[in-house]
């Protein structure tokens, strides 16, 4: 989340931890939020102050930004504060389990359904240095999980190795998931170098769009992407890396879903998990919505066949970003709470639904574009559909 405020003095970008009280161990690492009053003490050593307009007063030698609202910030969140533009970006949300390090805006694919379209002129050095600063601030309170995303993280080369080495030293107990198209892993040297880092809990999540090159390459908008990705997956497995496959569900991937499940079983049975992912209506999806869109109720049969094909052959299977009422009951056990809490919503109709607390819900961006199959579920129907005891039966 990004907000804008008005700096009372100009200063360079700082990254710090949110606190509400002045008695902190390292004020130089702290962004103090002042909701009710600005404390009448020396505040010059704090990285920055964020104050609401109602309480802001001039403070000598303090780097203050006056904001309309800071209600979304809580202690131990991490933010960057740009003391020139007044740009305040939330980098890590302490109460969320869906945090990620955004390491680059560049990508060697240009997928038709990318929710974060690449920009190839990004300032990668500064993104990486912000990520390293985040790790420094998190090392005293390591989160259970963190993602690494972009863009394509492997384009950072040594920068990614540096980041992974830092993660191993500073957050060794945190599990890491790197989202990658795996094309650069077709270089065995990169695999060997990353395997050598030896992070104790590192997973690579690789999107696969079809079992045939033409469709995969079309979705990735890149010739030979399929062969490079598959070579990358084999190299990663040979290097002992933990690989997960993600299949984003849209009009180009759905027609070959069952063939892709069979291909995964026959060609890459070593992968640790296969995840079927509902579309997020962001980025290129908004632009290409008419071509990509397919109502989940219209692919429920293919999704069931593909998911059960893999599950019965011993794969860990998950479904992300799809609400329960658009899934056949036998798939409910695969549905995960995958949508970041600040992006997740339920609709008005969900108020009458008796399984709402188990439902992954929707992306905020899907509020006005969602499945025709949304309908409240009643407990009797839930029992009939074996939800009781079945919600996690495939987990
Ligand atoms: S009605 Fe709403 S809460 Fe119930 S399963 Fe559907 S989307 Fe989820």
């Amino acid at each position: 989340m990004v907000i804008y405020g008005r700096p009372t003095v100009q200063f360079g970008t700082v990254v710090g931890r949110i606190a509400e009280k002045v008695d902190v161990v390292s004020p130089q690492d702290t962004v103090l939020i002042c909701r009710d009053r600005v404390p009448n003490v020396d505040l010059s050593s704090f990285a920055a102050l964020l104050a609401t307009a109602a309480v802001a007063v001039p403070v000598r030698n303090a780097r203050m930004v006056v904001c309309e609202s800071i209600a979304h910030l809580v202690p131990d969140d991490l933010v960057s504060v740009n003391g020139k533009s007044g740009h305040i970006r939330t980098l890590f949300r302490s109460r969320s389990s869906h945090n990620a390090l955004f390491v680059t805006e560049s990508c060697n694919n240009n997928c038709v359904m990318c929710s974060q379209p690449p920009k190839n002129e990004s300032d990668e050095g500064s993104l990486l240095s912000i990520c390293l600063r985040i790790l420094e601030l998190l090392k005293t309170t390591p989160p259970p999980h963190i993602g690494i995303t972009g863009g394509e993280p492997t384009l950072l080369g040594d920068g990614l190795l540096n980041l992974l080495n830092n993660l191993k030293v500073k957050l060794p107990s945190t599990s890491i998931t790197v989202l990658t198209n795996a094309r650069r892993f077709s270089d065995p040297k990169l695999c060997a170098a990353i395997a050598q880092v030896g992070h104790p809990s590192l997973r690579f999540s690789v999107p696969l769009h079809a079992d045939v090159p033409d469709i995969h390459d079309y979705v990735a908008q890149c010739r030979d992407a399929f062969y490079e990705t598959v070579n990358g997956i084999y190299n990663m497995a040979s290097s002992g890396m933990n690989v997960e496959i993600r299949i984003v569900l849209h009009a180009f991937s759905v027609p070959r879903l069952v063939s892709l499940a069979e291909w995964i079983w026959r060609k890459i049975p070593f992968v640790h998990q296969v995840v079927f992912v509902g579309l997020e209506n962001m980025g290129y999806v908004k632009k290409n919505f008419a071509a990509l869109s397919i109502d989940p109720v219209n692919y429920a049969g293919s999704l069931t066949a593909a998911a059960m094909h893999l599950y019965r052959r011993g794969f860990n299977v998950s479904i992300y970003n799809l609400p329960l009422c658009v899934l056949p009951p036998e798939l409910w056990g695969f549905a995960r709470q995958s949508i970041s809490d600040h992006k997740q919503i339920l609709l008005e109709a969900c108020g009458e639904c008796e399984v709402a607390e188990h439902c992954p819900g929707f992306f905020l961006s899907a509020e006005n574009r969602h499945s025709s199959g949304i309908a409240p579920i009643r407990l009797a129907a839930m029992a009939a559909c074996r939800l009781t005891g079945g919600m996690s039966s495939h987990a």
Side-chain angles (χ1 to χ4, degrees), residues 27 30 91 97 116 135 151 190 202 210 213 235 246 266 287 392:
T30 301
L91 302 170
S97 54
Q116 180 89 37
L135 300 191
L190 180 66
L202 182 60
N235 286 342
R246 288 198 181 189
R266 292 195 176 277
K287 192 172 131 197
S392 59

Side-chain angles (χ1 to χ4, degrees), residues 322-326 332 345-362 373-377:
L322 290 177
L324 293 179
C325 55
V326 304
W332 289 359
I345 57 163
L346 291 175
L347 300 178
E348 207 179 317
C350 304
E352 294 170 31
C353 181
E354 291 167 338
V355 298
E357 67 182 295
H358 302 290
C359 182
F362 305 86
I374 305 303
I377 292 170

Side-chain angles (χ1 to χ4, degrees), residues 106-111 118 120 152-155 179-191 204-209 216-217 219-236 243:
S106 300
C107 190
N108 49 354
N109 280 355
N110 196 22
C111 298
N120 286 324
E152 172 51 41
T154 57
L155 296 184
L179 279 174
T180 172
N181 61 41
R183 288 177 54 201
R184 291 210 64 199
F185 286 109
S186 57
D187 173 6
K189 282 191 202 144
L190 180 66
C191 285
F204 293 86
S205 186
V206 181
L208 207 51
H209 311 306
H216 180 96
D217 291 1
V219 172
Q221 293 285 288
C222 188
R223 190 186 295 270
D224 294 335
F226 180 81
Y227 289 117
E228 287 184 4
T229 293
V230 172
N231 278 337
I233 291 169
Y234 281 126
N235 286 342
M236 292 160 93
V243 181

